[in-house]
Amino acid sequence: EDEVAKRILDTGSRIIGFTSTTPLFRWTMNIIRTLRKNRKDLIILMGGPHPSMMPDKILETGLVDIVVRGEGENTIKELHQYFTNGKLSLNDIRSISHITDGKIIHNPERPLIENLDELPFPSWDLLPIEKYHSVARNRLSLPIMTSRGCPFNCVFCYKGIYGRRYRTRSPENIIKEIKYLRDRYGIQEMTILDDNFTLNVKRVMDICDRIVREKLVLPWSTPNGIRANPATLELFEKMKAAGCYRIYVGIESGDERVLEFIDKGITLEEVKAIFSLAKQAGLETVAMFMIGNLTETEETIDKTINLSIKLDPDLAQFTITTPYPGTKMHETILREGKLYLDSWENFNSCGGAIFEHGELTVPLLNRKYKEAYRRFYLRPYYILKRLKKMTSYGEIKSSVEAVFVLLKMLGKKPTD
């Protein structure tokens, strides 16, 4: 924290903006405290999911001047104008919370950005991009986001930044950014960070066709996950032809009743179908599951683990369900269960269970979390299959590192 604060101070900047998620909130505030001690004249702005959810509590600390709620691009631009030339009034800037005359003021909400094509491409040269490498293949990799918003109602998801309305960039604008990343920064791989990249199948196939036509084929994946519906073989074949080598699929549970309760909007038949289609198209697959969805029992968690093995994906990711502030799940736990935490850092889906609800207890969730990783990754069949697929030094290196992480995690005593 002190080193980060020192680097910030060394820039000589007067306006400092922080983005904070819930588990990083305490760390972020510690950095801000250090900055305040060293320079009283700093203007501190904070945005992101956690501040957007609870601006009052953040402003009450006296450490942050302004909280930026929701999408921040246009708000930050107006704040910069306010602080540098004074042409705008603070009260005219939408989607900010601030203190005026000792009172916390919440300015009206700013409409979501309608035309995402208006946003400029990131200036990656301001960051040490030589450190941005894909884990498996050790190649220079940078991300793009082609859409924002999610129309679905999963009880564990917070919609306070990009909202529920699905907004997309034009295929022309996306192609332009890929060219920009290739020609200016020399990327060898990219990641698509959308929450709903394949929601509009025709749109994705159009983008893929343009990538091929423009000779922009690079390896890419979808690490934030895609839905199990909609999906077609033609879609995955076009994605494969355009350079996609791996898809991540958000499944969450292996029990139909649980999927319905958490409002996931998918069925197990659709889950099985998407993995079959992806494999037919020659894509690597990653199955993403949550241990401890509301109304779960030990039996339904076992169904989830069994499904992970039955689907036979290349990789599986298990996380302990986390009731983040601002979600329906958080409200349910506060109303019907118990929430155990002494710091916002506890809201970490890989750090141990923090709640109890119904038949779900902390010891049970921690035990099944480890069991899921052990049963999936320590199968002799799976180990042999992975060894046969390793074709590069990067894959071998990342696999060895993953084994050490897994063994360390399995050997760690659960937090009871």
Side-chain angles (χ1 to χ4, degrees):
E1 294 165 1
D2 289 341
E3 177 64 19
V4 173
K6 180 180 181 302
R7 293 194 184 195
I8 293 172
L9 291 169
D10 287 345
T11 68
S13 301
R14 186 170 68 98
I15 305 172
I16 313 295
F18 289 88
T19 296
S20 180
T21 58
T22 297
L24 292 178
F25 178 67
R26 187 180 72 86
W27 188 77
T28 305
M29 293 303 290
N30 287 344
I31 295 172
I32 292 174
R33 287 189 186 91
T34 302
L35 293 175
R36 288 289 190 205
K37 289 177 183 177
N38 286 273
R39 276 187 61 185
K40 306 297 183 184
D41 64 327
L42 289 178
I43 297 166
I44 304 291
L45 315 177
M46 184 180 277
H50 194 83
S52 294
M53 176 58 203
M54 46 187 66
D56 293 80
K57 291 186 177 181
I58 289 167
L59 292 172
E60 286 168 359
T61 65
L63 296 170
V64 176
D65 296 296
I66 295 173
V67 170
V68 175
R69 308 189 309 270
E71 285 183 315
E73 289 92 349
N74 290 330
T75 307
I76 285 291
K77 185 168 72 172
E78 292 181 8
L79 280 170
H80 185 264
Q81 292 172 352
Y82 168 78
F83 285 116
T84 55
N85 57 38
K87 289 184 178 180
L88 290 172
S89 164
L90 203 59
N91 292 325
D92 293 334
I93 301 176
R94 292 192 171 197
S95 287
I96 65 169
S97 298
H98 56 100
I99 297 178
T100 299
D101 298 328
K103 294 182 179 179
I104 295 178
I105 307 296
H106 302 294
N107 290 6
E109 294 295 321
R110 178 184 299 275
L112 293 170
I113 299 171
E114 290 293 336
N115 184 5
L116 296 178
D117 287 2
E118 293 177 352
L119 294 173
F121 303 147
S123 296
W124 291 106
D125 49 289
L126 299 177
L127 294 172
I129 62 168
E130 69 279 359
K131 297 183 179 180
Y132 284 66
H133 283 249
S134 63
V135 175
R137 287 162 171 77
N138 197 33
R139 295 183 291 222
L140 179 61
S141 177
L142 292 174
I144 67 171
M145 184 177 285
T146 77
S147 66
R148 290 182 176 181
C150 178
F152 300 98
N153 300 302
C154 301
V155 300
F156 51 81
C157 187
Y158 175 61
K159 299 286 189 1
I161 301 298
Y162 294 140
R164 296 183 180 279
R165 190 155 51 81
Y166 186 59
R167 295 162 291 144
T168 62
R169 293 168 56 192
S170 67
E172 294 84 359
N173 187 251
I174 295 163
I175 293 300
K176 187 177 178 181
E177 183 176 14
I178 296 173
K179 287 182 179 178
Y180 165 79
L181 294 176
R182 183 198 64 182
D183 297 343
R184 181 162 180 174
Y185 301 110
I187 63 166
Q188 301 160 301
E189 185 172 330
M190 63 182 180
T191 53
I192 295 180
L193 297 183
D194 299 32
D195 288 326
N196 290 288
F197 179 61
T198 58
L199 187 60
N200 185 329
V201 170
K202 289 184 178 179
R203 171 180 173 269
V204 175
M205 291 197 294
D206 183 18
I207 293 169
C208 291
D209 285 341
R210 290 169 185 260
I211 289 174
V212 173
R213 195 162 57 243
E214 297 284 344
K215 295 182 172 54
L216 291 171
V217 176
L218 292 166
W220 55 275
S221 60
T222 63
N224 276 5
I226 62 174
R227 290 180 60 81
N229 58 19
T232 67
L233 180 59
E234 183 184 9
L235 168 68
F236 290 143
E237 287 176 340
K238 284 186 178 291
M239 288 172 63
K240 173 75 172 178
C244 181
Y245 66 91
R246 177 185 293 170
I247 62 167
Y248 295 65
V249 184
I251 304 168
E252 323 318 350
S253 175
D255 183 86
E256 204 81 62
R257 180 191 59 79
V258 172
L259 286 176
E260 186 175 337
F261 186 86
I262 65 175
D263 255 347
K264 182 65 182 176
I266 62 174
T267 66
L268 292 181
E269 284 304 311
E270 290 172 327
V271 168
K272 295 171 185 175
I274 192 173
F275 279 84
S276 174
L277 293 172
K279 290 175 184 178
Q280 287 181 58
L283 294 172
E284 294 179 16
T285 56
V286 182
M288 304 163 77
F289 298 99
M290 299 164 66
I291 303 296
N293 287 291
L294 292 182
T295 76
E296 283 219 271
T297 63
E298 184 166 3
E299 180 184 359
T300 62
I301 295 174
D302 284 338
K303 287 184 179 180
T304 297
I305 300 172
N306 292 337
L307 178 63
S308 74
I309 295 170
K310 185 175 181 179
L311 290 174
D312 194 29
D314 293 279
L315 297 167
Q317 173 186 301
F318 302 94
T319 56
I320 297 178
T321 308
T322 306
Y324 287 104
T327 65
K328 293 179 183 178
M329 182 181 180
H330 186 82
E331 295 171 3
T332 301
I333 297 299
L334 293 180
R335 186 174 61 249
E336 303 173 1
K338 295 180 180 178
L339 189 60
Y340 302 98
L341 71 155
D342 52 27
S343 168
W344 291 114
E345 288 174 297
N346 295 141
F347 283 88
N348 180 346
S349 56
C350 300
I354 62 170
F355 75 93
E356 294 190 344
H357 181 268
E359 296 184 31
L360 299 174
T361 65
V362 169
L364 172 66
L365 292 175
N366 287 330
R367 176 167 58 83
K368 301 306 284 188
Y369 172 63
K370 289 188 174 184
E371 181 183 324
Y373 273 102
R374 183 176 65 251
R375 286 184 56 194
F376 183 87
Y377 281 103
L378 298 187
R379 294 172 290 149
Y381 160 79
Y382 177 80
I383 294 171
L384 288 173
K385 184 180 77 168
R386 292 299 298 172
L387 287 172
K388 289 179 180 179
K389 285 190 174 184
M390 290 184 193
T391 58
S392 70
Y393 169 75
E395 288 178 307
I396 296 172
K397 181 175 179 289
S398 64
S399 296
V400 171
E401 290 171 348
V403 168
F404 280 105
V405 170
L406 177 63
L407 293 175
K408 183 178 180 180
M409 185 267 288
L410 291 176
K412 185 178 180 182
K413 184 179 179 181
T415 303
D416 295 332

